[in-house]
Amino acid sequence: MTSPFKIIGVFGRVNHPLINTTLKTLINYLQSLEVNILVDAETAESLDDTSLTRINRSELGRQCDLLIVVGGDGSLLHAAHTIVNDAVPVLGINRGRLGFLTDILPTELSKIKSILDGKYRLEKRFLLTTTVEQNGKILGHGDALNEVALIPDSVPHMNEFEIYINDQFVCSQDSDGVIVATPTGSTAYALSGGGPILHPGLDAMVIVPMFPHTLSLRPIVIEGSSRITIAISSNNTATPRLTCDSQSFINTPPGSLIRIQKKSEHLHLIHPLDYDYYASLRSKLHWGRKLHHDDK
């Protein structure tokens, strides 16, 4: 079978000894398969190998057919923000702590050959896009694969705001903030805030209050096509911040509006054929194992 991936991009978290070791092993393995390799320039710099073909990070998505990321979910998130608009698929080699998105172990690099031979599963994950505006002026913009989160500024402070879904008033909150997460992000920050786990195949979002003053405020799951507006009260004495996957921060002063909706572009994730989402949950979250082989 002719491989759909002619040019392989390589991206990794820099200046981490274990990741550097895995990167070198990965590159040697890919070279043994005689495929064309482009290495992110910053990644190549950390490997101190002048023989590697380097490429600027901003060009990765336009030049490669498949991007392999070595690291944890944070590394894959960073890569996703770089290449999502180019629709290049991403494969993760797990060198992090959890690795919900990076599901091939460093000892399983042989699975890459099967993937290059066209034996893989392709999964699309949607992202969120958000803008902050005040009096018609755009204060900031960001995209998120995991979550958009409204958080306090440097000093913890209760914040007052209102939430609207499709322009319909939902509730007012007096809380530290709120998390709006995708199914991908439901096992990240939102999970630590008490939110539910959403299967990645769902077209849904979850809204999770952060330390609300009213204990009856609970997480809610809504349609993925929903448009969310968060109106920051003019009575606020502090300026909370909006963060997208903890990679950028936007100030949200009193009277500002936060608009959140699904991004039109998707992240394309590559999995080996033996990928099992529920096995991943059992492994990462230490859920109970099957007691007997004949149990259903």
Side-chain angles (χ1 to χ4, degrees):
M1 180 182 292
T2 302
S3 174
F5 308 122
K6 304 297 184 184
I7 302 176
I8 311 300
V10 176
F11 177 104
R13 179 181 170 190
V14 299
N15 299 322
H16 189 292
L18 290 178
I19 291 179
N20 281 359
T21 298
T22 301
L23 280 166
K24 292 176 182 178
T25 303
L26 169 66
I27 290 170
N28 289 336
Y29 181 71
L30 291 174
Q31 289 172 336
S32 74
L33 298 178
E34 298 183 344
V35 297
N36 293 319
I37 308 169
L38 297 177
V39 182
D40 162 62
E42 190 175 342
T43 302
E45 186 71 25
S46 72
L47 297 177
D48 194 26
D49 185 344
T50 56
S51 69
L52 298 175
T53 302
R54 307 184 181 196
I55 185 171
N56 289 332
R57 187 163 298 181
S58 60
E59 291 293 318
L60 268 175
R62 289 187 281 272
Q63 298 295 328
C64 64
D65 302 312
L66 171 68
L67 179 63
I68 301 180
V69 178
V70 178
D73 285 349
S75 298
L76 197 140
L77 279 172
H78 194 76
H81 282 259
T82 302
I83 55 85
V84 66
N85 292 327
D86 301 304
V88 61
V90 180
L91 173 67
I93 309 297
N94 185 20
R95 264 302 186 183
R97 290 176 297 175
L98 288 178
F100 282 103
L101 299 173
T102 51
D103 46 43
I104 290 185
L105 297 176
T107 55
E108 300 175 330
L109 295 186
S110 59
K111 290 184 178 182
I112 295 175
K113 185 178 186 307
S114 294
I115 290 171
L116 296 182
D117 288 339
K119 301 173 183 177
Y120 60 86
R121 292 172 57 184
L122 177 65
E123 184 180 42
K124 292 184 180 181
R125 301 285 184 95
F126 76 79
L127 293 85
L128 301 175
T129 187
T130 182
T131 57
V132 179
E133 61 182 72
Q134 187 178 39
N135 299 325
K137 179 183 178 181
I138 301 298
L139 303 182
H141 168 82
D143 296 330
L145 176 62
N146 273 351
E147 76 281 313
V148 174
L150 181 68
I151 61 175
D153 58 15
S154 56
V155 178
H157 198 285
M158 297 290 276
N159 294 296
E160 184 178 302
F161 53 90
E162 295 177 340
I163 297 177
Y164 297 81
I165 297 176
N166 297 330
D167 298 324
Q168 184 176 3
F169 175 69
V170 176
C171 65
S172 60
Q173 287 193 27
D174 195 4
S175 65
D176 277 17
V178 65
I179 302 167
V180 179
T182 65
T184 301
S186 70
T187 52
Y189 194 17
L191 184 64
S192 67
I197 295 174
L198 304 183
H199 187 278
L202 289 175
D203 184 12
M205 295 183 279
V206 61
I207 301 175
V208 182
M210 296 173 59
F211 303 105
H213 196 266
T214 302
L215 296 181
S216 60
L217 280 171
R218 311 304 301 165
I220 181 173
V221 178
I222 63 174
E223 290 182 319
S225 59
S226 301
R227 294 173 289 104
I228 300 171
T229 301
I230 301 173
I232 305 299
S233 172
S234 57
N235 297 326
N236 266 8
T237 57
T239 298
R241 297 177 296 167
L242 195 73
T243 175
C244 297
D245 291 340
S246 299
Q247 295 196 10
S248 60
F249 296 90
I250 307 168
N251 287 331
T252 60
S256 59
L257 296 175
I258 302 165
R259 303 191 189 279
I260 305 168
Q261 63 184 33
K262 185 190 297 185
K263 185 177 174 67
S264 58
E265 294 83 5
H266 288 70
L267 175 68
H268 296 74
L269 278 181
I270 294 287
H271 300 291
L273 289 179
D274 63 356
Y275 170 72
D276 184 337
Y277 175 71
Y278 299 108
S280 178
L281 290 181
R282 288 195 301 273
S283 172
K284 312 305 180 183
L285 301 179
H286 307 291
W287 285 0
R289 296 182 178 179
K290 195 174 183 181
L291 297 179
H292 303 287
H293 292 296
D294 58 348
D295 286 348
K296 297 275 181 85

